[in-house]
Amino acid sequence: MKKLTASLLVLVMSSSIAVANAQQKNDTIKTKEIEGVVVTALGIKREKKSLGYASEEVKAAELTGGTTNTGNVASLLSGKVAGLQVNTNNNFGGSANLLIRGYKSLGGGGPLIVIDGSPVNNSTVSGSTFDYGNFLSDINQEDIESVNVLKGAAASALYGERGSDGVILIVTKSGRGNNDGSWGVTLNSGITAGFIDKSTFPTYQKKYGAGYGGQAWNEAPGPGGYNYANFVDDASYGPAFNPNQLVYQWDSFDPSSPNYGKATPWVAAKNGPIKFFETPVTYINTITIEKGNKTSNLSLSYSNMLSNGLLPNSELRKNTISAKFNHDFTDKLHASVFTTLTLQDTKGRNETGYSDNVVTGFRQWWQTNVDVLALRDAYANNGNSNFSWNRSTAADGTPQYWNNPYFQRYQNYQSDNRTRIFSYAQLKYDISKNFGITGKLSYDDLQMVVEERLMNGSLPQAFGASQLNVSSGYSRTNVKNSELNFDVFANYKFDITPDLNVSGIVGGNVRRNLIDNIFMSTEGGLSKPGLFAISNSVRTILPPDENYAKKLTSSLYATASFAYKNFLFVDGTYRIDQSSNLPKANNNYDYYSVTGAIILSEFVKQPWLSFWKVRGNYAEVGSSTDNYRLVNTFKARGEGLFDQPYFLANPNLKPQRSKETEFGMEAQFFKNRLGFDIAIYKTRTIDQIINLPVSSATGYRTFLVNAGQIDNKGIEVQLNGTPFKSDNFTWDVNVNWSKNENKVIALNGDSQNYLMASYQGGVSLNARVGEAFGALVGSDYVYNANGDKVIDPATGRYLRNNNQVIGNITPDWVGGIRNSFRYKNFTVSFLIDVKKGGDVFSTDMYYGLATGLYAETADYRESGLVHPGVNPNGNVNTTPTINPGSFGNVDGYRRMPNKRFIYDASYVKLREASIGYSLPKSILANTSIREAKISIVGRNLWIIHKNLPYADPEAGTGNGLASKGNSIGVLPTTRDIGIDLTLKF
């Protein structure tokens, strides 16, 4: 992988220098056009050359033009911005995690999302086995004009406490219409289909069938002396397949099966679990209507999305309506209004993690003799009942561990619907050419209803408010999350001297956040089968779990930007916040930034140098905490009973602070044919608000404190090149690469470890003093002085050493290479997305190797395996593993240390590819169509390199820290291919 990346870079750069140097006489480009104007904090437009911090803009064509419509804007940023790490998964309607410049906080954290200067919610519904997606997916990608990523503290300091993890600024399109003042209409229609990448799903062995005990069968022989298969054992470590051996299997008890009452040949199933998946297809249609003139412009859009997932009984319907209106009442009074409404209904999201996730069963606890299509027929032909392959006994068809997967999907499905409204209205009055006042009101409201079902006859499981084991149930969650922002600020600009001018803003913000969630569930099961209603509870329901939280933040801010002779720029920002979630003594906190930039190309006049700038900055930012952290609250349990919380609140909390220094350089050569942008930074985050363990003698498990320090440092590189350019053909290349290193410097007092998440098998995700953030802790091998793995000569198995750091989720570096080609009316582009390093614990391999599912388990069950390593005396091991015929004795969780299942999470992916053709203007001349383009687009077309077997190393269980570092029951990745048609009238 290293050679591949290096070779591409050498080819691109050498080609660019050689060809651009030969062609530069044909280019006429101005220095101002090289850098351009970008949108910065609070929606303020600035010349990019004046900025003293790193920011990176992605235009709409680069964001959406070369790939399928994913339905989630966040995922479209993969591989396109230096310093931005994007983790996507294949969950139906699932999340995309965004991270800028590594983890700075023990709580994780992601960037603030801002639309046209107004913050929007990008959180998710937590506390569930389902991934409900990050709420940025509610934004219609066809409304986006550009995305600007503010990476460091200096770039985002104006957003106060919420900008500590960076900011992603989204600029929406304004109406333009046709030149004659008539309406302009754009129609966009696309269809995408997904096809499973088989390298991300298990390859099963086909030599052995159901069971744990090698040659042992289940129970005594049945009629005719034939054996019963081990349908009770959810593993494939049983007897070897033999077509001459007749066995009573699970379908011998299915009255609707042709095998009913029969003993059938003991062979591997014809149809394995991969046949369980369906072909996901997505249809998206968008219409945009625009009109504009010198004083007004209007844009209206409607988008409809219909999609099904990989798993049966899954469907997502999303409708988005947007409107944007800009109007100049006079030469001095200007108004802007934007609103978007999203209505989404989703049914059948896939479960994640361990739980009753059917994909966990396919990857860990399955029998290779079970035909999945026979299970489909058993479900359909037995009144949609839970006819499982995993019977308790020959006489008892009650599921032992697993439901019939079709029953699970069609009867135990979840559903959710949400309504999202985001709107803002802005009024600006220009008092003079140097002074203006702006008022802005924005409102973001999300309301969601989530329903989860457990049909009568299900395998008993923990469910509902009490988490008691029941075989049926229903729960409902009502979510309301709203935010109101009001900003008033004055902008100013004047000349101090003919060579020195100053500009900036002075203003304030008031923000109100509201969370109002209610959770209710049945208790003891459903009284009437199949009636999913809270009132259909067998037992008296518990009081609703209500979470009502308000937060008020008031802020004042000011900026000053000095420019001297158009080559020296110095900026300063200051903001003070007051948070209602902190105690009065500590609820006021301020932060500031200072930046500088020098345009060296104003002094070095060379024909080959188009632009050259150096920059630097220092900034401090702070952040508050969530509601109800100052005093303990209690939860009502009915009949005058209240639950005491497990954590101890802290009335003396103070804000977390982060301090960052950054230096950078950017340059363009040969009239913008070759260029680079490099940034280096160092960040120190202190006084973090964390929940640390405390002695149970106190009556609590954890307590809140200000503690901990994490240091980050890194480098970001962005390269652009045009190796060839002519009237008919252009080749553009963009490369980004970034490396972030972090270290946990301290926690609290003598504390050396902070637990962030726990996984199956005793593995955990931690912040450990002296280690990089995200340490994976579990059992390791025992090593001798030479670093050899030590093996017990009596068993042939590795010795284990518990509670060791066995991996880390932090990648060594991430990057992307995008090539775009244009030949006359044809366009071709592709994006290579790369992540190097970082580790993942595969719970699937941890269990699946022990249960005998995977292909590599087939060849050692008689003779065992001689593991590489040494005996305690230093001699090379020659002992085969003993008793290899019993499950898990050779490999897997029963005998191996956790380190065995730690894999390098690196990948190289062909993330995007497209081929497009635009009809010539001559063909459209006598029609009402102004532009017509058809494209074949693809996404995740090829995992060029990975080290994790049978799964995509990028896929996680959902959103947030807990989804990192653990590969467990994830859906296979799909290669998505689509056709996109755009018509403009």
Side-chain angles (χ1 to χ4, degrees):
M1 183 171 66
K2 184 177 181 181
K3 291 182 178 179
L4 169 67
T5 306
S7 300
L8 285 171
L9 287 173
V10 170
L11 172 63
V12 169
M13 292 302 102
S14 60
S15 300
S16 297
I17 292 172
V19 179
N21 193 35
Q23 295 186 341
Q24 62 172 312
K25 62 180 182 292
N26 298 323
D27 292 327
T28 56
I29 192 165
K30 298 178 181 179
T31 302
K32 184 176 181 179
E33 294 173 340
I34 292 174
E35 283 285 278
V37 176
V38 296
V39 176
T40 64
L42 300 180
I44 302 167
K45 292 184 178 180
R46 296 277 303 275
E47 285 190 57
K48 192 172 186 296
K49 71 176 184 179
S50 69
L51 303 181
Y53 50 77
S55 69
E56 193 166 339
E57 186 179 48
V58 181
K59 295 290 188 181
E62 301 167 351
L63 183 72
T64 64
T67 183
T68 61
N69 191 324
T70 64
N72 192 335
V73 174
S75 64
L76 297 177
L77 291 167
S78 293
K80 296 177 181 176
V81 178
L84 174 64
Q85 185 179 339
V86 183
N87 284 101
T88 62
N89 58 51
N90 211 37
N91 292 333
F92 184 54
S95 305
N97 295 298
L98 300 172
L99 182 67
I100 299 177
R101 292 186 172 178
Y103 289 107
K104 305 177 186 70
S105 168
L106 294 170
L112 173 68
I113 308 299
V114 175
I115 297 180
D116 293 341
S118 298
V120 296
N121 178 15
N122 188 37
S123 61
T124 187
V125 176
S126 59
S128 172
T129 58
F130 298 96
D131 178 6
Y132 290 97
N134 57 303
F135 296 147
L136 185 55
S137 61
D138 294 328
I139 304 302
N140 181 12
Q141 69 177 44
E142 298 299 326
D143 289 338
I144 296 175
E145 182 176 283
S146 66
V147 175
N148 193 25
V149 181
L150 305 182
K151 303 175 184 179
S156 58
L158 266 185
Y159 282 106
E161 62 171 4
R162 311 173 83 190
S164 58
D165 292 306
V167 176
I168 293 181
L169 301 175
I170 296 174
V171 179
T172 60
K173 296 175 182 177
S174 296
R176 289 179 176 84
N178 298 327
N179 294 329
D180 59 2
S182 62
W183 290 92
V185 179
T186 301
L187 298 176
N188 181 270
S189 183
I191 179 173
T192 302
F195 305 92
I196 290 177
D197 182 341
K198 292 184 179 179
S199 73
T200 63
F201 195 69
T203 299
Y204 297 112
Q205 57 80 18
K206 296 185 177 181
K207 289 181 64 176
Y208 301 89
Y212 286 123
Q215 298 301 316
W217 297 94
N218 188 48
E219 306 183 15
Y226 299 121
N227 291 309
Y228 290 110
N230 277 296
F231 32 70
V232 68
D233 294 336
D234 54 347
S236 295
Y237 219 98
F241 288 127
N242 179 358
N244 299 317
Q245 175 82 54
L246 299 180
V247 177
Y248 289 107
Q249 302 189 52
W250 69 272
D251 55 354
S252 301
F253 305 91
D254 178 7
S256 69
S257 170
N259 297 327
Y260 180 61
K262 299 177 183 178
T264 53
W266 186 237
V267 294
K270 178 182 178 181
N271 300 295
I274 200 167
K275 296 289 185 70
F276 182 72
F277 300 104
E278 299 183 345
T279 300
V281 179
T282 300
Y283 304 89
I284 298 180
N285 295 284
T286 302
I287 180 171
T288 302
I289 303 174
E290 300 174 287
K291 188 174 184 179
N293 54 41
K294 292 182 179 180
T295 60
S296 301
N297 58 70
L298 172 67
S299 176
L300 302 172
S301 71
Y302 167 72
S303 181
N304 170 263
M305 177 179 181
L306 175 63
S307 179
N308 69 282
L310 270 171
L311 295 178
N313 195 35
S314 56
E315 183 179 71
L316 185 151
R317 296 175 180 268
K318 181 162 63 174
N319 292 277
T320 305
I321 303 172
S322 302
K324 187 174 185 179
F325 177 63
N326 298 309
H327 179 67
D328 297 335
F329 291 102
T330 68
D331 291 341
K332 293 187 176 183
L333 185 60
H334 320 282
S336 297
V337 177
F338 174 79
T339 186
T340 179
L341 167 67
T342 299
L343 304 173
Q344 178 174 308
D345 288 300
T346 309
K347 180 176 72 173
R349 293 181 189 268
N350 58 288
E351 292 174 303
T352 63
Y354 197 69
S355 63
D356 289 295
N357 180 357
V358 294
V359 186
T360 296
F362 294 160
R363 290 183 178 276
Q364 301 174 16
W365 309 98
W366 185 252
Q367 295 180 352
T368 54
N369 52 286
V370 173
D371 191 301
V372 74
L373 296 187
L375 283 169
R376 177 195 62 189
D377 297 339
Y379 165 73
N381 297 331
N382 288 280
N384 297 340
S385 65
N386 190 12
F387 204 103
S388 175
W389 58 273
N390 188 211
R391 300 174 65 88
S392 294
T393 66
D396 183 2
T398 303
Q400 181 70 17
Y401 303 111
W402 296 95
N403 295 320
N404 181 307
Y406 289 91
F407 177 87
Q408 182 77 14
R409 289 298 304 165
Y410 282 98
Q411 302 298 328
N412 292 349
Y413 67 95
Q414 67 76 234
S415 63
D416 59 90
N417 66 79
R418 70 180 181 229
T419 301
R420 177 78 177 273
I421 299 174
F422 170 71
S423 304
Y424 70 78
Q426 177 177 294
L427 198 63
K428 180 181 179 183
Y429 184 73
D430 297 323
I431 298 174
S432 68
K433 67 177 181 178
N434 295 327
F435 189 76
I437 296 179
T438 300
K440 186 175 186 180
L441 181 68
S442 67
Y443 181 65
D444 185 11
D445 181 78
L446 181 143
Q447 297 191 45
M448 191 169 179
V449 177
V450 177
E451 298 174 276
E452 297 184 13
R453 301 166 178 83
L454 192 63
M455 175 59 83
N456 300 77
S458 297
L459 179 74
Q461 65 182 62
F463 187 86
S466 65
Q467 285 293 288
L468 297 176
N469 279 348
V470 292
S471 58
S472 64
Y474 170 74
S475 70
R476 177 187 178 103
T477 305
N478 289 69
V479 176
K480 178 178 174 59
N481 196 323
S482 68
E483 177 174 322
L484 180 69
N485 278 278
F486 180 62
D487 281 271
V488 176
F489 57 86
N491 61 285
Y492 63 89
K493 179 181 179 180
F494 58 88
D495 296 331
I496 300 175
T497 70
D499 295 328
L500 178 64
N501 61 70
V502 62
S503 61
I505 61 172
V506 177
N509 167 269
V510 176
R511 170 166 58 96
R512 286 183 169 89
N513 292 88
L514 171 65
I515 296 174
D516 188 2
N517 300 340
I518 301 176
F519 171 79
M520 297 182 68
S521 71
T522 58
E523 288 296 327
L526 299 175
S527 178
K528 180 177 176 57
L531 177 58
F532 294 105
I534 299 297
S535 58
N536 189 35
S537 178
V538 170
R539 298 179 181 175
T540 302
I541 63 173
L542 296 177
D545 187 353
E546 299 175 89
N547 179 22
Y548 186 85
K550 282 186 175 181
K551 180 180 179 180
L552 173 64
T553 305
S554 302
S555 309
L556 295 174
Y557 49 79
T559 73
S561 302
F562 297 89
Y564 179 71
K565 287 189 175 181
N566 209 35
F567 75 84
L568 176 63
F569 303 91
V570 177
D571 285 14
T573 70
Y574 180 79
R575 176 164 176 147
I576 182 169
D577 283 350
Q578 184 181 73
S579 171
S580 64
N581 281 1
L582 290 172
K584 288 185 178 180
N586 298 326
N587 69 353
N588 286 309
Y589 45 104
D590 60 351
Y591 20 90
Y592 60 90
S593 70
V594 179
T595 72
I598 302 176
I599 313 300
L600 297 178
S601 50
E602 294 293 322
F603 305 97
V604 181
K605 301 293 185 180
Q606 294 292 332
W608 48 266
L609 180 62
S610 305
F611 181 77
W612 182 19
K613 179 178 82 172
V614 294
R615 62 178 189 262
N617 63 70
Y618 176 80
E620 293 191 15
V621 293
S623 58
S624 181
T625 187
D626 296 330
N627 293 77
Y628 305 122
R629 297 295 187 94
L630 304 182
V631 295
N632 280 86
T633 58
F634 300 88
K635 182 179 295 185
R637 282 301 181 189
E639 299 180 358
L641 300 176
F642 292 83
D643 281 349
Q644 179 174 304
Y646 292 122
F647 79 93
L648 179 62
N650 186 346
N652 300 309
L653 289 178
K654 56 185 178 180
Q656 173 179 297
R657 297 196 70 84
S658 185
K659 304 177 181 181
E660 183 174 275
T661 304
E662 176 191 309
F663 295 97
M665 178 186 296
E666 50 193 289
Q668 294 291 326
F669 308 96
F670 311 117
K671 294 185 171 64
N672 207 30
R673 296 291 296 278
L674 182 67
F676 67 82
D677 188 335
I678 299 176
I680 58 174
Y681 61 87
K682 186 173 183 179
T683 307
R684 182 165 64 98
T685 306
I686 60 175
D687 290 336
Q688 301 186 51
I689 300 174
I690 55 177
N691 218 7
L692 288 175
V694 65
S695 170
S696 58
T698 63
Y700 300 94
R701 295 178 184 174
T702 59
F703 70 111
L704 280 171
V705 293
N706 283 106
Q709 176 181 334
I710 294 180
D711 287 358
N712 277 264
K713 61 180 179 180
I715 181 171
E716 299 160 351
V717 180
Q718 180 191 357
L719 306 173
N720 68 276
T722 304
F724 192 90
K725 183 177 182 181
S726 68
D727 292 338
N728 292 327
F729 179 75
T730 302
W731 173 19
D732 291 317
V733 182
N734 287 281
V735 180
N736 69 81
W737 178 90
S738 59
K739 179 181 179 64
N740 179 81
E741 295 180 354
N742 63 14
K743 188 176 183 179
V744 180
I745 304 301
L747 291 172
N748 183 51
D750 296 330
S751 297
Q752 296 295 304
N753 192 78
Y754 177 61
L755 177 66
M756 296 183 291
S758 296
Y759 307 140
Q760 297 289 127
V763 176
S764 58
L765 180 66
N766 304 265
R768 181 167 284 201
V769 173
E771 300 281 346
F773 178 92
L776 295 169
V777 174
S779 59
D780 198 352
Y781 298 95
V782 173
Y783 303 92
N784 66 10
N786 296 324
D788 300 313
K789 299 172 184 175
V790 180
I791 293 174
D792 183 352
T795 62
R797 300 172 187 142
Y798 289 109
L799 300 178
R800 286 185 275 193
N801 188 10
N802 294 324
N803 195 31
Q804 302 297 307
V805 175
I806 56 177
N808 196 286
I809 66 171
T810 303
D812 298 330
W813 55 266
V814 296
I817 304 174
R818 184 183 185 90
N819 283 270
S820 302
F821 305 88
R822 180 190 61 82
Y823 176 69
K824 294 186 177 179
N825 292 329
F826 287 92
T827 58
V828 177
S829 69
F830 65 91
L831 170 67
I832 304 293
D833 191 6
V834 185
K835 185 183 83 166
K836 175 65 172 66
D839 297 306
V840 59
F841 173 71
S842 176
T843 309
D844 297 329
M845 298 297 286
Y846 176 80
Y847 287 123
L849 288 171
T851 58
L853 278 184
Y854 296 109
E856 55 264 50
T857 68
D859 298 325
Y860 52 59
R861 302 192 191 186
E862 282 79 27
S863 60
L865 193 65
V866 178
H867 290 308
V870 299
N871 299 145
N873 60 10
N875 294 333
V876 175
N877 176 54
T878 58
T879 306
T881 50
I882 64 171
N883 195 18
S886 294
F887 97 101
N889 273 353
V890 179
D891 205 349
Y893 74 98
R894 296 185 68 232
R895 306 300 182 189
M896 285 289 191
N898 298 133
K899 177 72 172 182
R900 160 70 176 89
F901 314 103
I902 295 290
Y903 295 89
D904 175 18
S906 300
Y907 60 76
V908 180
K909 293 186 177 185
L910 177 56
R911 179 71 74 181
E912 299 178 1
S914 69
I915 301 173
Y917 177 70
S918 298
L919 269 65
K921 299 289 185 182
S922 58
I923 296 178
L924 303 175
N926 296 320
T927 71
S928 59
I929 302 175
R930 292 187 295 115
E931 295 181 31
K933 182 177 182 179
I934 187 169
S935 302
I936 299 174
V937 293
R939 186 171 183 84
N940 296 327
L941 295 176
W942 180 22
I943 302 180
I944 302 169
H945 168 82
K946 71 182 181 76
N947 297 305
L948 176 66
Y950 310 123
D952 186 340
E954 185 181 17
T957 56
N959 203 359
L961 270 177
S963 67
K964 303 293 188 299
N966 188 18
S967 181
I968 176 171
V970 296
L971 288 171
T973 296
T974 56
R975 297 184 172 102
D976 300 326
I977 301 174
I979 297 177
D980 186 82
L981 175 65
T982 301
L983 301 175
K984 292 186 177 182
F985 299 88

